[in-house]
Amino acid sequence: NACLASESGILEPIRAILAVFQPDLLFLPHGNDSNPDHQIVCRTVLELIRQLPYQPSVFLNADPKTVGLRPDFMTVFDEQEAEWKAELLRFHASQHRRNLRTRGIGFDQRILANNRELAFRAGFPDAYLELFEQSTLR
């Protein structure tokens, strides 16, 4: 809720980012997720977007902790793009260290394994896949 977001200190920085950049398109962690931080970020950003004079398109992404997602869109990507994504994921240093410590694999490996599994289940055995649900902002 907004109280949690306010207490966590993310409400005003997100409001400022939306005001400065006025994005047409946003990608967020899915709110139907076992990670409470993902839940807070999703609810907070959606709440702030509803207050804007314009409505950007919002896509909620699947990750290993997503409990349920309506698969509205998918993006298939190859090994070269997976290497680039892995590099970006390693910039999330605290997550990367925590995954190495608790799971014995890096954050990049965990997310890409999920992308690989999603691709396999969708019939793309030699690729990676991202799934997205388009938010209705209701």
Side-chain angles (χ1 to χ4, degrees), residues 58-112:
V58 177
F59 294 89
L60 310 173
N61 75 293
D63 83 355
K65 292 187 176 185
T66 303
V67 177
L69 171 137
R70 183 185 66 242
D72 294 325
F73 296 95
M74 68 178 178
T75 302
V76 179
F77 58 102
D78 62 18
E79 194 64 44
Q80 182 179 357
E81 292 165 313
E83 289 174 18
W84 175 73
K85 181 177 178 176
E87 183 179 349
L88 294 176
L89 289 167
R90 287 189 297 271
F91 282 114
H92 198 335
S94 63
Q95 280 285 27
H96 191 66
R97 284 190 306 271
R98 185 179 63 78
N99 275 267
L100 286 169
R101 186 179 67 251
T102 62
R103 294 186 171 94
I105 61 169
F107 183 51
D108 55 341
Q109 294 169 301
R110 181 161 188 254
I111 297 299
L112 289 172

Coordinates of all heavy atoms in Angstrom, one line a residue, residues 58-112:
V58 N 1.7 -0.3 -19.5 CA 2.4 -0.9 -18.4 C 2.4 -2.4 -18.6 O 1.4 -3.0 -18.8 CB 1.8 -0.6 -17.0 CG1 2.6 -1.3 -15.9 CG2 1.9 0.9 -16.8
F59 N 3.6 -3.0 -18.6 CA 3.7 -4.4 -18.7 C 4.4 -5.0 -17.5 O 5.4 -4.5 -17.0 CB 4.6 -4.8 -20.0 CG 3.9 -4.3 -21.2 CD1 4.1 -3.1 -21.7 CD2 3.1 -5.2 -21.9 CE1 3.5 -2.6 -22.9 CE2 2.4 -4.8 -23.1 CZ 2.7 -3.5 -23.6
L60 N 3.7 -6.0 -16.9 CA 4.2 -6.7 -15.7 C 4.9 -8.0 -16.2 O 4.4 -8.8 -16.9 CB 3.0 -7.1 -14.8 CG 2.1 -5.9 -14.6 CD1 0.9 -6.4 -13.8 CD2 2.8 -4.8 -13.8
N61 N 6.2 -8.1 -15.7 CA 7.0 -9.3 -16.2 C 6.9 -10.5 -15.3 O 6.8 -10.3 -14.1 CB 8.4 -8.8 -16.5 CG 9.2 -8.6 -15.2 OD1 9.0 -7.8 -14.5 ND2 10.2 -9.5 -15.1
A62 N 7.1 -11.6 -15.9 CA 7.2 -12.9 -15.1 C 8.7 -13.1 -14.7 O 9.6 -12.8 -15.4 CB 6.8 -14.1 -16.0
D63 N 8.8 -13.5 -13.5 CA 10.1 -14.0 -13.0 C 9.9 -15.2 -12.1 O 8.8 -15.7 -12.0 CB 10.9 -12.8 -12.3 CG 10.5 -12.6 -10.8 OD1 9.6 -13.3 -10.3 OD2 11.1 -11.8 -10.2
P64 N 11.0 -15.8 -11.6 CA 10.8 -17.1 -10.9 C 9.8 -17.0 -9.7 O 9.3 -18.0 -9.3 CB 12.2 -17.4 -10.4 CG 13.1 -16.8 -11.4 CD 12.4 -15.5 -11.8
K65 N 9.6 -15.8 -9.1 CA 8.7 -15.7 -8.0 C 7.3 -15.3 -8.4 O 6.4 -15.1 -7.5 CB 9.3 -14.7 -7.0 CG 10.6 -15.2 -6.3 CD 11.0 -14.3 -5.2 CE 12.2 -14.9 -4.6 NZ 12.7 -14.1 -3.4
T66 N 7.0 -15.1 -9.6 CA 5.7 -14.7 -10.1 C 4.7 -15.9 -9.8 O 5.0 -17.0 -10.3 CB 5.7 -14.3 -11.5 OG1 6.6 -13.2 -11.7 CG2 4.3 -13.8 -12.0
V67 N 3.6 -15.7 -9.1 CA 2.7 -16.7 -8.8 C 1.7 -17.0 -9.9 O 1.3 -18.1 -10.2 CB 2.0 -16.4 -7.5 CG1 0.9 -17.4 -7.1 CG2 3.0 -16.2 -6.3
G68 N 1.3 -16.0 -10.6 CA 0.3 -16.1 -11.7 C 0.4 -14.9 -12.6 O 0.6 -13.8 -12.1
L69 N 0.3 -15.1 -13.8 CA 0.4 -14.1 -14.8 C -0.4 -14.4 -16.0 O -0.4 -15.6 -16.5 CB 1.9 -13.9 -15.2 CG 2.3 -13.0 -16.4 CD1 3.5 -12.2 -16.0 CD2 2.5 -13.8 -17.6
R70 N -1.1 -13.5 -16.5 CA -1.9 -13.7 -17.8 C -0.9 -13.3 -18.9 O -0.5 -12.2 -19.1 CB -3.1 -12.7 -17.8 CG -4.0 -12.9 -19.0 CD -5.1 -11.8 -19.1 NE -4.5 -10.5 -19.3 CZ -4.6 -9.4 -18.4 NH1 -5.2 -9.6 -17.3 NH2 -4.0 -8.3 -18.7
P71 N -0.5 -14.3 -19.7 CA 0.5 -14.1 -20.7 C 0.0 -13.4 -22.0 O -0.4 -14.0 -22.9 CB 1.0 -15.5 -21.1 CG -0.2 -16.4 -20.8 CD -0.9 -15.7 -19.7
D72 N 0.0 -12.0 -21.9 CA -0.5 -11.2 -23.0 C 0.5 -11.1 -24.1 O 0.2 -11.0 -25.3 CB -0.9 -9.8 -22.5 CG -2.0 -9.9 -21.6 OD1 -3.0 -10.7 -21.7 OD2 -2.1 -9.0 -20.6
F73 N 1.8 -11.0 -23.7 CA 2.9 -10.8 -24.7 C 4.1 -11.6 -24.4 O 4.3 -11.9 -23.2 CB 3.3 -9.3 -24.8 CG 2.3 -8.4 -25.2 CD1 1.5 -7.7 -24.3 CD2 2.0 -8.2 -26.6 CE1 0.4 -6.9 -24.7 CE2 1.0 -7.3 -27.0 CZ 0.2 -6.7 -26.1
M74 N 4.8 -12.0 -25.4 CA 6.1 -12.7 -25.1 C 7.2 -12.2 -26.0 O 6.9 -11.7 -27.1 CB 5.9 -14.2 -25.3 CG 5.7 -14.7 -26.7 SD 5.6 -16.5 -26.7 CE 5.3 -16.7 -28.4
T75 N 8.4 -12.3 -25.6 CA 9.5 -11.9 -26.4 C 10.5 -13.0 -26.3 O 10.9 -13.5 -25.3 CB 10.2 -10.6 -25.8 OG1 9.3 -9.6 -25.7 CG2 11.4 -10.2 -26.6
V76 N 10.9 -13.5 -27.5 CA 11.8 -14.6 -27.6 C 13.2 -14.0 -27.9 O 13.3 -13.0 -28.7 CB 11.4 -15.6 -28.8 CG1 12.4 -16.7 -28.9 CG2 10.0 -16.1 -28.5
F77 N 14.2 -14.5 -27.3 CA 15.6 -13.9 -27.5 C 16.6 -15.0 -27.6 O 16.4 -16.2 -27.1 CB 15.9 -12.8 -26.6 CG 15.9 -13.2 -25.1 CD1 17.1 -13.4 -24.4 CD2 14.7 -13.2 -24.4 CE1 17.1 -13.7 -23.0 CE2 14.7 -13.4 -23.0 CZ 15.8 -13.7 -22.3
D78 N 17.7 -14.7 -28.2 CA 18.8 -15.7 -28.4 C 19.9 -15.6 -27.4 O 19.9 -14.8 -26.5 CB 19.3 -15.6 -29.9 CG 19.9 -14.2 -30.1 OD1 20.3 -13.5 -29.2 OD2 20.1 -13.9 -31.3
E79 N 20.9 -16.4 -27.6 CA 22.1 -16.5 -26.7 C 22.8 -15.2 -26.6 O 23.2 -14.8 -25.5 CB 23.0 -17.6 -27.2 CG 24.0 -18.0 -26.2 CD 23.4 -18.7 -24.9 OE1 22.5 -19.5 -25.0 OE2 23.8 -18.3 -23.8
Q80 N 23.0 -14.5 -27.7 CA 23.7 -13.2 -27.7 C 23.0 -12.2 -26.8 O 23.6 -11.5 -26.0 CB 23.9 -12.7 -29.1 CG 24.7 -11.4 -29.1 CD 24.9 -10.9 -30.5 OE1 24.5 -11.5 -31.5 NE2 25.5 -9.7 -30.6
E81 N 21.6 -12.2 -27.0 CA 20.8 -11.3 -26.1 C 20.8 -11.7 -24.7 O 20.8 -10.9 -23.8 CB 19.4 -11.1 -26.7 CG 19.4 -10.4 -28.0 CD 18.1 -10.6 -28.8 OE1 17.7 -11.7 -28.9 OE2 17.6 -9.6 -29.3
A82 N 20.9 -13.0 -24.5 CA 20.9 -13.6 -23.1 C 22.2 -13.2 -22.4 O 22.2 -12.9 -21.2 CB 20.8 -15.1 -23.1
E83 N 23.3 -13.1 -23.1 CA 24.6 -12.7 -22.5 C 24.5 -11.2 -22.1 O 25.0 -10.9 -21.1 CB 25.7 -12.9 -23.5 CG 26.1 -14.4 -23.8 CD 27.1 -14.6 -24.9 OE1 27.8 -13.7 -25.3 OE2 27.2 -15.8 -25.4
W84 N 23.9 -10.4 -23.0 CA 23.7 -9.0 -22.6 C 22.8 -8.9 -21.4 O 23.1 -8.1 -20.5 CB 23.1 -8.3 -23.8 CG 22.8 -6.8 -23.6 CD1 23.6 -5.8 -23.5 CD2 21.5 -6.3 -23.4 NE1 23.0 -4.6 -23.2 CE2 21.6 -4.9 -23.2 CE3 20.2 -6.8 -23.5 CZ2 20.5 -4.1 -23.0 CZ3 19.1 -6.0 -23.3 CH2 19.3 -4.6 -23.1
K85 N 21.7 -9.6 -21.4 CA 20.8 -9.6 -20.2 C 21.5 -10.0 -18.9 O 21.4 -9.4 -17.9 CB 19.6 -10.4 -20.5 CG 18.6 -10.4 -19.3 CD 17.3 -11.2 -19.6 CE 16.4 -11.1 -18.4 NZ 15.1 -11.8 -18.7
A86 N 22.4 -11.1 -19.0 CA 23.1 -11.6 -17.9 C 24.0 -10.5 -17.3 O 24.1 -10.3 -16.1 CB 23.9 -12.8 -18.3
E87 N 24.7 -9.7 -18.2 CA 25.5 -8.6 -17.8 C 24.7 -7.6 -17.0 O 25.2 -7.1 -16.0 CB 26.2 -8.0 -19.0 CG 27.2 -6.9 -18.7 CD 27.9 -6.3 -19.9 OE1 27.8 -6.9 -21.0 OE2 28.5 -5.3 -19.7
L88 N 23.6 -7.2 -17.6 CA 22.7 -6.2 -16.9 C 22.3 -6.7 -15.5 O 22.2 -6.0 -14.6 CB 21.5 -5.9 -17.8 CG 21.8 -5.2 -19.1 CD1 20.5 -5.0 -19.9 CD2 22.5 -3.8 -18.8
L89 N 21.9 -8.0 -15.5 CA 21.4 -8.6 -14.2 C 22.5 -8.6 -13.1 O 22.2 -8.4 -11.9 CB 20.8 -10.0 -14.4 CG 19.5 -10.1 -15.2 CD1 19.3 -11.5 -15.6 CD2 18.4 -9.5 -14.4
R90 N 23.7 -8.7 -13.5 CA 24.8 -8.7 -12.5 C 25.0 -7.4 -11.9 O 25.6 -7.2 -10.8 CB 26.1 -9.3 -13.1 CG 26.0 -10.8 -13.4 CD 27.4 -11.4 -13.8 NE 27.8 -10.9 -15.0 CZ 27.5 -11.4 -16.2 NH1 26.8 -12.5 -16.3 NH2 28.0 -10.9 -17.3
F91 N 24.5 -6.3 -12.5 CA 24.6 -5.0 -11.9 C 23.7 -4.9 -10.7 O 23.9 -4.0 -9.8 CB 24.1 -3.9 -12.9 CG 25.2 -3.6 -13.9 CD1 25.0 -3.8 -15.3 CD2 26.4 -3.0 -13.5 CE1 26.0 -3.5 -16.2 CE2 27.4 -2.7 -14.5 CZ 27.2 -3.0 -15.8
H92 N 22.8 -5.8 -10.5 CA 22.0 -5.9 -9.3 C 22.8 -6.7 -8.3 O 22.5 -7.8 -8.0 CB 20.6 -6.5 -9.6 CG 19.6 -6.3 -8.6 ND1 19.8 -6.0 -7.3 CD2 18.2 -6.3 -8.7 CE1 18.7 -5.8 -6.6 NE2 17.7 -6.0 -7.5
A93 N 23.8 -6.0 -7.8 CA 24.9 -6.7 -7.1 C 24.4 -7.4 -5.8 O 24.8 -8.5 -5.5 CB 26.0 -5.7 -6.7
S94 N 23.5 -6.8 -5.1 CA 23.0 -7.4 -3.8 C 22.2 -8.7 -4.1 O 22.4 -9.7 -3.5 CB 22.2 -6.5 -3.0 OG 21.0 -6.1 -3.7
Q95 N 21.4 -8.7 -5.2 CA 20.7 -9.9 -5.6 C 21.7 -11.0 -6.1 O 21.5 -12.1 -5.8 CB 19.7 -9.6 -6.7 CG 18.4 -9.0 -6.2 CD 17.5 -10.0 -5.5 OE1 17.9 -11.0 -5.0 NE2 16.2 -9.7 -5.6
H96 N 22.6 -10.5 -6.8 CA 23.6 -11.5 -7.4 C 24.4 -12.2 -6.2 O 24.5 -13.4 -6.2 CB 24.6 -10.8 -8.3 CG 25.4 -11.7 -9.1 ND1 24.9 -12.6 -10.1 CD2 26.8 -11.9 -9.1 CE1 25.9 -13.3 -10.6 NE2 27.0 -12.9 -10.0
R97 N 24.8 -11.4 -5.3 CA 25.6 -12.0 -4.1 C 24.7 -12.9 -3.3 O 25.1 -14.0 -2.9 CB 26.1 -10.9 -3.2 CG 27.4 -10.2 -3.8 CD 28.0 -9.3 -2.8 NE 27.1 -8.3 -2.2 CZ 26.9 -7.1 -2.7 NH1 27.6 -6.7 -3.8 NH2 26.1 -6.2 -2.2
R98 N 23.4 -12.5 -3.1 CA 22.5 -13.3 -2.3 C 22.2 -14.6 -3.0 O 22.2 -15.7 -2.3 CB 21.2 -12.5 -2.0 CG 20.2 -13.3 -1.1 CD 18.9 -12.5 -0.9 NE 18.1 -12.3 -2.1 CZ 17.4 -13.3 -2.7 NH1 17.3 -14.5 -2.2 NH2 16.7 -13.0 -3.8
N99 N 22.0 -14.6 -4.3 CA 21.7 -15.8 -5.0 C 23.0 -16.7 -5.0 O 22.8 -17.9 -4.8 CB 21.3 -15.5 -6.5 CG 19.9 -15.3 -6.6 OD1 19.1 -16.2 -6.9 ND2 19.4 -14.0 -6.4
L100 N 24.1 -16.2 -5.1 CA 25.4 -17.0 -5.0 C 25.5 -17.6 -3.7 O 25.8 -18.8 -3.6 CB 26.6 -16.1 -5.3 CG 26.8 -15.8 -6.8 CD1 27.9 -14.7 -6.9 CD2 27.2 -17.0 -7.6
R101 N 25.2 -16.9 -2.6 CA 25.3 -17.4 -1.3 C 24.2 -18.4 -0.9 O 24.5 -19.4 -0.4 CB 25.2 -16.2 -0.3 CG 25.4 -16.6 1.2 CD 25.4 -15.3 2.1 NE 24.0 -14.8 2.2 CZ 23.6 -13.7 1.6 NH1 24.5 -12.9 1.0 NH2 22.3 -13.2 1.7
T102 N 23.0 -18.1 -1.3 CA 21.8 -19.0 -0.9 C 21.5 -20.1 -1.9 O 21.0 -21.1 -1.5 CB 20.6 -18.2 -0.6 OG1 20.2 -17.5 -1.9 CG2 20.8 -17.1 0.5
R103 N 21.8 -19.9 -3.2 CA 21.4 -20.9 -4.2 C 22.6 -21.5 -4.9 O 22.4 -22.4 -5.7 CB 20.5 -20.2 -5.2 CG 19.2 -19.8 -4.6 CD 18.2 -19.3 -5.7 NE 16.9 -19.1 -5.2 CZ 16.5 -17.9 -4.7 NH1 17.2 -16.9 -4.8 NH2 15.2 -17.8 -4.3
G104 N 23.8 -20.9 -4.7 CA 25.0 -21.4 -5.4 C 25.0 -21.1 -6.9 O 25.9 -21.6 -7.6
I105 N 24.1 -20.2 -7.4 CA 24.2 -19.7 -8.7 C 23.9 -18.2 -8.7 O 23.3 -17.7 -7.8 CB 23.1 -20.3 -9.7 CG1 21.7 -20.1 -9.1 CG2 23.4 -21.8 -9.8 CD1 20.6 -20.5 -10.1
G106 N 24.4 -17.5 -9.7 CA 24.2 -16.1 -9.8 C 22.8 -15.7 -10.1 O 22.0 -16.5 -10.6
F107 N 22.4 -14.4 -9.8 CA 21.1 -13.9 -10.2 C 20.9 -14.0 -11.7 O 19.8 -14.4 -12.1 CB 21.1 -12.4 -9.7 CG 19.8 -11.7 -10.0 CD1 18.6 -12.3 -9.5 CD2 19.7 -10.5 -10.6 CE1 17.4 -11.6 -9.7 CE2 18.5 -9.8 -10.8 CZ 17.4 -10.4 -10.3
D108 N 21.9 -13.7 -12.5 CA 21.8 -13.8 -13.9 C 21.4 -15.3 -14.3 O 20.5 -15.5 -15.2 CB 23.1 -13.4 -14.6 CG 24.3 -14.1 -14.1 OD1 24.3 -14.7 -13.0 OD2 25.3 -14.0 -14.8
Q109 N 22.1 -16.2 -13.7 CA 21.8 -17.6 -14.1 C 20.4 -18.1 -13.7 O 19.8 -18.8 -14.4 CB 22.9 -18.6 -13.4 CG 24.3 -18.4 -13.9 CD 25.3 -19.1 -13.0 OE1 25.3 -18.8 -11.8 NE2 26.0 -20.0 -13.6
R110 N 20.0 -17.6 -12.5 CA 18.6 -17.9 -12.1 C 17.6 -17.4 -13.0 O 16.6 -18.1 -13.4 CB 18.4 -17.4 -10.7 CG 17.0 -17.8 -10.1 CD 17.0 -17.6 -8.6 NE 15.8 -18.2 -8.1 CZ 14.8 -17.4 -7.7 NH1 14.9 -16.1 -7.6 NH2 13.7 -18.0 -7.2
I111 N 17.7 -16.1 -13.4 CA 16.7 -15.5 -14.2 C 16.7 -16.1 -15.6 O 15.7 -16.4 -16.2 CB 16.9 -14.0 -14.3 CG1 16.7 -13.4 -12.9 CG2 15.9 -13.3 -15.3 CD1 15.3 -13.6 -12.3
L112 N 17.9 -16.3 -16.2 CA 18.0 -16.9 -17.5 C 17.5 -18.3 -17.5 O 17.0 -18.8 -18.5 CB 19.4 -16.7 -18.1 CG 19.8 -15.3 -18.4 CD1 21.3 -15.2 -18.8 CD2 18.9 -14.8 -19.6

